[in-house]
Amino acid sequence: MKLDYAEAGSVGRPMPDWLVKLIWPVAALGLLLAFNLAFTSLFFRLEWRDGHLYGSLIDVLNRGSPVMLLALGMTLVIATGGVDLSVGAVMAISGAVAAQMINVPGMPFGLVIAGALAVSVLAGVWNGLLVGIFKIQPIVATLILMVAGRGVAQLITGGQYTTFTDAKLVYVGNGHLFGLPFPVTIVFVMLVVTGLLTRKTALGLFVESVGDNEKATHYAGISSRAVKFMAYVFAGLCAGLAGLVAVSNIKCADSNHAGLFLELDAILAVVVGGTALTGGRFYLLGSIVGALLIQTLTTTMYMRNVSPEIAPVPKAIVIVAVCLLQSPVFRNQMRRIAKWRPA
Amino acid sequence: MKRNIGGWVMVGLVAVCCGMMGSCKKETKSGGGAPPPRQAQKIVVGFSQIGAESGWRTANTESIKGEAAKRGIDLQFSDAQSKQENQIKAIRSFIAQDVDVIAFSPVVTTGWQEVLQEAKQAGIPVILSDRAVDVTDDSLYVTFIGSDFIEEGRLAANWVVKATGGKANIAELVGTPGSAPANDRATGFREVMAKYPEMKIIKTQSGDFTRTKGKEVMEAFLKSPEGKQINLLYAHNDDMAIGAIQAMEAAGVKPGVDIKIVSIDGVKGAFEAMVAGKLNCTVECNPLIGPALFDAVEKLMKGETLPKRTVIEESVYEQSQAAEAIKTRAY
């Protein structure tokens, strides 16, 4: 953090911190989109079909929404200096609960959603207890549910695919609202709610102070336990929503693969978005842009016939570049090299 | 080494004697020291399963358990939950229990040398089921029973030739890159395709064997410049095909009609899709290996030698057969 202020001062443009952090992921996304505009035909083609927009850009928003949801929760967790590895498994649990419940005749739809989210929140409570109250290392604490959670999901579905046809549950991941896929609305609402809660109340400041200096926060009279606990509960809720989107999308609970490795994408999105893994300042918009960057890369690979074996390589290069640009140390080095003139 | 061979010979001799006496009694076994005499006369088989990750796997497990019960074989079943370390532990415990035969479906192909060596030293024959292992010394297992993934790829391609007259613009949904079924199913398909120059793969991407990815990739395929030309989809498993069907429907393309679809595995979902007219053909990857597995076990107990490779019979199901076949599907 300190470095950033120093740097902003030295260049002589007093930009708000969040804007500085947003520059690089937005620039990377912009560059990638510009590349696609120039070289990937039809990438920008949008059509109006059956009362909604249709095109690759819409797919990016739609397919990126689970990771965007996860990234919102992950941002707060990482801001407290922690990490939540269990969100992918919690997605699987949430989806499994929803798919099992919807197949019970006469079950009201609201109860299905409430049930799936309640179980996800419970998973968050478990993580929050371990990390916040019992002070177990976040990686270890959430690893438990990451490993065991998929087993729980398997248990719920009996190790089978549970398919469903209920129109309301199918709508969550396949429906359209305002001409856009419904998951986009979920992400938007969650972003606004999270933004308001953290920026218009003191909650965001609490989270940042816990991540920056837990001891000082404690002496200032803020319960770091409660703040951490809430962050994990919120991450659980976000994972639950992402799980509902994922299960609804394929009309089937696939406990083995739902959300598999998505916790890593979420962490990546948060880091690309400018939030440091050491905790402190967090940037919700940055995380969303990070998630969109990852998904745009993936969709670009599909469109451009990059062979599946090497597809991870260009993705990695872009991500590494953005992470390096986010590093003040790296930027200062680059600046020094740029200024250097041979005598 | 010498002692091992001795052990093997003894096991063989004892088994042959038992066979000749017309009983399957096997009281002693030399090899790893002095094993405790066993009271039960049943054949004891230790089986380590990968897990219960799919309907296919569950059917595989049920076939093995059911067949063991039918033949009165004492089956020690262990679920590895997709972890190699669990599987190695299970195999070590089978060795400690001194079972007659160890069988397992390896989670991964590498890293088995040591534990299989231990089994060999204990004089316990090992059968691989469904997946192969990568070991330098193939005397570490007696036989590999399972599907031939390359042949499945060929069967799928043959169906394409039959259905399109050898003229197709193909989109391919590849399985998890680097996995044996993905590699082999791609190889077999291309082998046949090489003879038909008008069969072209115009799009190929990995759908990771999942519905979610199958849908996501197909969605992108349909929007790509070549999207309109695709008239056939080859998916390395049924789940990706089922995901792709959803993507086609969302894009206003008629699956099974505008784009013909062939996939591999033969799970129930595929038969349902065929009955609904959305999938054209599935090449069965037969999970019911119980009978073949215990045939091999009984042959071993009689001291017969087995071929290194036992291929399971597989069939191709087309739309017209689906309605009839779905009634008898076990998985």
Side-chain angles (χ1 to χ4, degrees), chain A residues 45-215:
Chain A
R45 178 171 172 167
L46 284 179
E47 283 173 58
W48 188 262
R49 260 198 210 183
D50 310 324
H52 60 83
L53 283 167
Y54 176 90
S56 293
L57 289 175
I58 306 302
D59 286 352
V60 170
L61 286 175
N62 195 8
R63 297 292 157 243
S65 51
V67 174
M68 286 195 266
L69 286 169
L70 292 183
L72 283 177
M74 191 68 81
T75 308
L76 296 190
V77 169
I78 287 179
T80 66
V83 71
D84 187 348
L85 298 179
S86 72
V87 288
V90 174
M91 275 179 74
I93 298 179
S94 157
V97 170
Q100 282 309 112
M101 283 179 77
I102 203 80
N103 282 332
V104 176
M107 182 71 74
F109 176 68
L111 203 60
V112 172
I113 300 296
L117 293 182
V119 174
S120 314
V121 166
L122 204 67
V125 167
W126 165 259
N127 286 331
L129 276 178
L130 290 185
V131 178
I133 314 298
F134 298 116
K135 308 277 173 207
I136 298 174
Q137 281 280 319
I139 288 187
V140 178
T142 56
L143 197 62
I144 298 171
L145 206 54
M146 176 191 177
V147 176
R150 232 158 255 290
V152 172
Q154 295 266 14
L155 203 68
I156 294 169
T157 56
Q160 303 290 336
Y161 288 124
T162 308
T163 54
F164 54 86
T165 49
D166 181 88
K168 285 186 193 131
L169 190 54
V170 168
Y171 180 85
V172 174
N174 292 291
H176 292 85
L177 193 64
F178 313 123
L180 288 170
F182 185 63
V184 177
T185 308
I186 302 179
V187 172
F188 184 75
V189 170
M190 283 305 285
L191 174 65
V192 170
V193 168
T194 319
L196 288 178
L197 275 178
T198 52
R199 295 308 183 201
K200 292 294 165 195
T201 73
L203 281 176
L205 195 62
F206 290 173
V207 169
E208 291 184 338
S209 72
V210 167
D212 235 9
N213 191 332
E214 200 175 334
K215 217 168 231 173

Side-chain angles (χ1 to χ4, degrees), chain B residues 114-151:
Chain B
E114 198 179 327
V115 69
L116 293 186
Q117 197 71 46
E118 287 168 29
K120 192 179 171 184
Q121 265 160 20
I124 304 173
V126 173
I127 297 176
L128 302 176
S129 111
D130 161 50
R131 297 189 186 184
V133 295
D134 195 2
V135 287
T136 45
D137 173 11
D138 73 354
S139 74
L140 289 177
Y141 62 90
V142 287
T143 186
F144 164 40
I145 301 174
S147 308
D148 182 347
F149 298 136
I150 297 183
E151 180 61 20

Side-chain angles (χ1 to χ4, degrees), chain B residues 223-240:
Chain B
K223 293 185 179 85
S224 69
E226 304 93 334
K228 290 242 157 44
Q229 301 160 24
I230 299 172
N231 55 20
L232 192 130
L233 173 71
Y234 167 44
H236 285 192
N237 80 345
D238 290 335
D239 283 315
M240 290 191 291

Side-chain angles (χ1 to χ4, degrees), chain A residues 33-41 304:
Chain A
L33 289 175
F35 170 83
N36 278 326
L37 186 61
F39 301 108
T40 313
S41 47
R304 295 192 54 81

Side-chain angles (χ1 to χ4, degrees), chain B:
Chain B
M1 239 2 232
K2 228 173 196 172
R3 210 188 59 180
N4 300 339
I5 295 165
W8 273 94
V9 171
M10 284 302 286
V11 172
L13 277 178
V14 171
V16 169
C17 291
C18 292
M20 285 198 296
M21 286 188 294
S23 76
C24 275
K25 194 186 273 186
K26 182 156 80 74
E27 302 286 358
T28 55
K29 183 162 58 177
S30 55
R38 194 181 284 120
Q39 252 113 54
Q41 300 178 4
K42 277 179 167 182
I43 300 173
V44 184
V45 176
F47 190 89
S48 169
Q49 179 63 286
I50 293 182
E53 77 276 12
S54 61
W56 191 95
R57 189 61 61 192
T58 313
N60 181 244
T61 301
E62 274 163 17
S63 159
I64 290 162
K65 283 185 175 164
E67 193 66 23
K70 209 158 83 188
R71 299 192 189 202
I73 287 171
D74 182 1
L75 179 71
Q76 304 285 319
F77 188 86
S78 153
D79 184 331
Q81 292 170 335
S82 298
K83 289 199 181 60
Q84 184 175 27
E85 64 262 36
N86 290 348
Q87 223 160 18
I88 291 176
K89 263 184 239 162
I91 294 171
R92 292 221 164 104
S93 96
F94 293 148
I95 296 172
Q97 289 170 48
D98 195 29
V99 299
D100 295 306
V101 179
I102 292 172
F104 75 114
S105 297
V107 174
V108 292
T109 54
T110 53
W112 298 106
Q113 195 85 23
E114 198 179 327
V115 69
L116 293 186
Q117 197 71 46
E118 287 168 29
K120 192 179 171 184
Q121 265 160 20
I124 304 173
V126 173
I127 297 176
L128 302 176
S129 111
D130 161 50
R131 297 189 186 184
V133 295
D134 195 2
V135 287
T136 45
D137 173 11
D138 73 354
S139 74
L140 289 177
Y141 62 90
V142 287
T143 186
F144 164 40
I145 301 174
S147 308
D148 182 347
F149 298 136
I150 297 183
E151 180 61 20
E152 287 166 5
R154 288 190 203 114
L155 289 172
N158 284 335
W159 179 84
V160 175
V161 171
K162 203 179 95 186
T164 65
K167 244 177 150 176
N169 291 324
I170 301 164
E172 182 188 33
L173 285 171
V174 181
T176 308
S179 70
N183 290 344
D184 292 354
R185 286 170 185 175
T187 308
F189 194 85
R190 281 167 178 73
E191 220 173 78
V192 173
M193 229 180 66
K195 288 176 245 160
Y196 299 89
E198 284 185 272
M199 262 168 82
K200 288 187 208 94
I201 295 183
I202 57 172
K203 290 298 242 180
T204 175
Q205 278 292 340
S206 169
D208 260 334
F209 285 131
T210 67
R211 291 188 189 201
T212 310
K213 281 282 167 188
K215 183 172 182 180
E216 187 178 328
V217 175
M218 193 67 218
E219 215 170 54
F221 279 179
L222 290 171
K223 293 185 179 85
S224 69
E226 304 93 334
K228 290 242 157 44
Q229 301 160 24
I230 299 172
N231 55 20
L232 192 130
L233 173 71
Y234 167 44
H236 285 192
N237 80 345
D238 290 335
D239 283 315
M240 290 191 291
I242 291 166
I245 287 170
Q246 295 183 7
M248 290 181 202
E249 284 172 334
V253 173
K254 266 198 176 149
V257 181
D258 296 338
I259 297 180
K260 289 196 168 67
I261 309 172
V262 54
S263 60
I264 299 177
D265 269 1
V267 299
K268 197 152 201 170
F271 281 88
E272 285 163 1
M274 282 202 285
V275 170
K278 293 171 182 174
L279 182 76
N280 301 84
C281 174
T282 184
V283 176
E284 183 186 41
C285 177
N286 194 347
L288 309 179
I289 69 168
L293 175 64
F294 292 110
D295 279 350
V297 167
E298 282 172 356
K299 276 184 190 162
L300 269 179
M301 290 295 103
K302 286 181 195 148
E304 292 174 30
T305 49
L306 296 172
K308 273 280 158 195
R309 185 80 174 82
T310 312
V311 176
I312 302 281
E313 268 310 304
E314 306 190 297
S315 14
V316 177
Y317 289 93
E318 292 186 38
Q319 234 172 37
S320 53
Q321 304 157 283
E324 199 49 47
I326 198 169
K327 294 176 199 153
T328 57
R329 297 309 283 176
Y331 56 98

